[in-house]
Amino acid sequence: MNETIEVTQLNITKYADSITVEMALPPDLIVTRIDFLDSEDNIITSITGIEIDTAVTTIFSHNIQFVQGGA
């Protein structure tokens, strides 16, 4: 998160064509970027252009769609 904070506690819900990832954001922070990394810390997807103020307890949810056979 914001290229400096690592969050490892995720709730992941699997569906046939997607997954939904939920995470509790750290308190008292303005989140402007969220990167999802693979096991080797390579970025697999990024969410930018956001501004989430976590002055209150905040749960972030993101759904990632899968495409079968490529596009």
Side-chain angles (χ1 to χ4, degrees):
M1 212 170 308
N2 293 351
E3 298 182 287
T4 58
I5 299 168
E6 183 174 333
V7 175
T8 57
Q9 293 186 338
L10 306 172
N11 292 324
I12 299 173
T13 305
K14 299 175 185 177
Y15 303 99
D17 62 349
S18 67
I19 61 171
T20 296
V21 179
E22 294 180 343
M23 69 185 100
L25 300 181
D28 301 317
L29 182 71
I30 302 292
V31 177
T32 58
R33 179 184 180 111
I34 297 174
D35 296 318
F36 291 97
L37 309 176
D38 66 13
S39 61
E40 297 176 358
D41 290 338
N42 297 306
I43 296 174
I44 54 174
T45 190
S46 293
I47 302 167
T48 59
I50 57 175
E51 189 168 311
I52 303 170
D53 185 347
T54 64
V56 296
T57 301
T58 306
I59 302 293
F60 179 83
S61 177
H62 182 63
N63 183 265
I64 302 169
Q65 297 287 312
F66 300 127
V67 176
Q68 296 282 333

